[in-house]
Amino acid sequence: MSEQYLNKRRLVLFVDDDPELRKLGRVSLERAGYGYIGASNGSEGLRLARELYPNLILLDYMMPGISGKEVFVTLATSDDERLRQTPVVMLTAKHDNHDEQRELLGLGMAAYLCKPFGHHELLNVIDNVLITAQIKERNRTLEVEARQSFVGTVRAMITLLAVKDGYTGEHSNMTADLAETLARRLNLSEEEIMHVKLGGLLHDIGKIGIPECILCKPACLTPEEMAIMRQHVHYGEQALAGVPHMETVRAIVKHHHEWWNGGGYPDGLKETEIPLATRIVTVADAYDSMTSDRPYRRRLSQATTIERLRAAAGIQFDPVVVEILVECLEDYDTEQTRSLNLKFLDHLHHAA
Ligand SMILES: [Fe+2]
């Protein structure tokens, strides 16, 4: 099985102060087709690990000078990701401290091998550890690709919306940034903050399905046109229906026009029936909308907007979120918003 997975010559660094054991290890490894490099102490082992980036390190637990544990912790906490990812097999004697060995497994040590060990035992452990490392690496690559693909899709959707309706594209960016600021002030987790931000970016994505004569009408909508416009929450929700792990974002898209008192649409949810992430985006959406020029009205000043939001707190908006918004506006810089949102997508792109 090992040849199928380990089809390249792999370099193993053997760090042990016992020259006889290193010699036996060298013979075993080279016969099995591995490259071998030996180190007689922890300092030399660390130096060679940094210079050569071996595929695996066999590390004696008890050594004079820097111990195996210190070497492992240095590697596991290194700034160099390749060193952090290098699998380490600790070589221990029966009398060594087993609690400490368990602690090292918890810190990411790949395995430990009890001395004395035989040729086959050594090779089995090495093969298994390298196969596991290869699978982990493949998983990391797939995760990065999935994240890049997702970010590309979000970019494409926002670009489409911006082509159709320049205002909504820009408004989505502004809403996302303000919603993120509110979510941080409300101490949401990083994952929740990411969902709030994505919800802000995508909340009006369903407007792609609304006719331009309604979407860009330079006057108030008739009741019939308003009924059509309201469909955007369903179009958006349906667009995200097949995307996994997007439940929070879908709820934002579907419910961002619900009112705190139950007077909104589409489901007439009220108060905490509306998820907090959605209530945050609703307030951010309203703020940015009121402070922007629209075809049918001029923008409102910040002071007038705050006055109106406060007047609608407890009716249309979550009163706590409105007050958090007022606090945040003191240090919120709208001029930086657009570049920040581009950075957010870049951050998602590189975070994986
Ligand atoms: Fe909307």
Side-chain angles (χ1 to χ4, degrees):
M1 181 166 84
S2 62
E3 284 175 14
Q4 182 191 346
Y5 285 91
L6 308 173
N7 50 5
K8 282 187 282 185
R9 186 172 161 85
R10 302 298 180 111
L11 182 65
V12 176
L13 171 60
F14 197 153
V15 188
D16 199 303
D17 59 318
D18 180 347
E20 274 308 304
L21 195 59
R22 290 204 308 277
K23 197 171 159 188
L24 288 171
R26 174 174 206 148
V27 172
S28 287
L29 289 165
E30 289 187 344
R31 269 194 202 152
Y34 290 106
Y36 166 91
I37 183 91
S40 60
N41 59 60
S43 307
E44 192 185 4
L46 277 174
R47 180 178 62 76
L48 289 170
R50 290 182 181 120
E51 279 177 19
L52 300 172
Y53 291 107
N55 300 97
L56 182 143
I57 300 173
L58 295 168
L59 185 59
D60 188 19
Y61 184 71
M62 287 290 286
M63 286 185 289
I66 303 177
S67 70
K69 179 183 177 182
E70 287 171 278
V71 172
F72 171 71
V73 171
T74 304
L75 293 168
T77 55
S78 166
D79 290 337
D80 186 334
E81 195 188 347
R82 275 180 77 186
L83 284 182
R84 284 202 309 275
Q85 303 294 347
T86 306
V88 175
V89 176
M90 193 71 84
L91 308 176
T92 66
K94 281 205 165 58
H95 60 266
D96 288 340
N97 183 337
H98 287 263
D99 285 341
E100 205 161 64
Q101 290 163 14
R102 272 195 290 276
E103 182 196 330
L104 294 179
L105 283 172
L107 281 173
M109 191 177 70
Y112 63 88
L113 188 56
C114 221
K115 294 178 185 178
F117 48 80
H119 168 79
H120 291 294
E121 204 181 346
L122 174 67
L123 293 182
N124 275 341
V125 168
I126 290 177
D127 281 1
N128 286 335
V129 166
L130 285 177
I131 289 166
T132 305
Q134 202 165 28
I135 292 168
K136 280 184 184 167
E137 175 63 28
R138 179 74 186 135
N139 284 345
R140 276 195 294 274
T141 305
L142 288 173
E143 201 178 307
V144 169
E145 286 172 2
R147 187 72 69 100
Q148 287 172 343
S149 172
F150 175 70
V151 169
T153 306
V154 172
R155 277 187 194 278
M157 291 168 99
I158 296 166
T159 304
L160 270 179
L161 189 55
V163 166
K164 175 149 186 173
D165 169 6
Y167 164 73
T168 306
E170 177 66 16
H171 165 66
S172 299
N173 273 308
M174 301 292 279
T175 300
D177 188 68
L178 183 52
E180 180 194 6
T181 306
L182 298 177
R184 283 197 188 285
R185 194 67 69 107
L186 284 159
N187 289 323
L188 269 61
S189 70
E190 281 304 315
E191 192 183 358
E192 289 168 323
I193 290 168
M194 187 183 79
H195 287 142
V196 164
K197 183 130 194 178
L198 283 171
L201 283 170
L202 294 170
H203 73 282
D204 270 344
I205 200 70
K207 285 187 176 173
I208 288 174
I210 304 299
E212 276 171 57
C213 59
I214 295 176
L215 199 56
C216 305
K217 185 178 175 183
C220 291
L221 301 179
T222 65
E224 293 75 23
E225 290 167 336
M226 184 58 82
I228 293 169
M229 180 65 113
R230 287 181 169 194
Q231 290 301 309
H232 78 278
V233 298
H234 295 299
Y235 297 156
E237 192 217 358
Q238 285 159 16
L240 298 175
V243 186
H245 314 302
M246 291 282 276
E247 292 75 14
T248 304
V249 179
R250 275 179 67 198
I252 291 170
V253 171
K254 183 176 181 185
H255 294 296
H256 69 276
H257 288 289
E258 304 283 4
W259 282 29
W260 180 256
N261 69 359
Y265 69 92
D267 292 342
L269 300 183
K270 66 176 185 178
E271 299 181 7
T272 52
E273 288 172 354
I274 311 164
L276 176 59
T278 305
R279 302 192 315 259
I280 290 171
V281 172
T282 300
V283 170
D285 176 24
Y287 175 82
D288 187 65
S289 175
M290 286 189 223
T291 52
S292 302
D293 285 328
R294 304 307 320 277
Y296 49 88
R297 63 155 170 76
R298 292 278 301 157
R299 72 174 76 180
L300 303 179
S301 70
Q302 183 168 302
T304 307
T305 304
I306 289 173
E307 221 172 87
R308 292 200 183 177
L309 287 172
R310 277 185 162 152
I315 301 167
Q316 186 173 355
F317 306 116
D318 179 340
V320 172
V321 178
V322 169
E323 283 315 305
I324 293 288
L325 169 77
V326 175
E327 273 178 31
C328 288
L329 286 173
E330 288 166 12
D331 42 43
Y332 180 70
D333 184 351
T334 51
E335 295 305 313
Q336 291 178 0
T337 299
R338 191 170 186 80
S339 64
L340 281 175
N341 278 299
L342 292 174
K343 280 181 194 159
F344 168 68
L345 288 174
D346 285 341
H347 168 72
L348 273 183
H349 183 92
H350 293 297

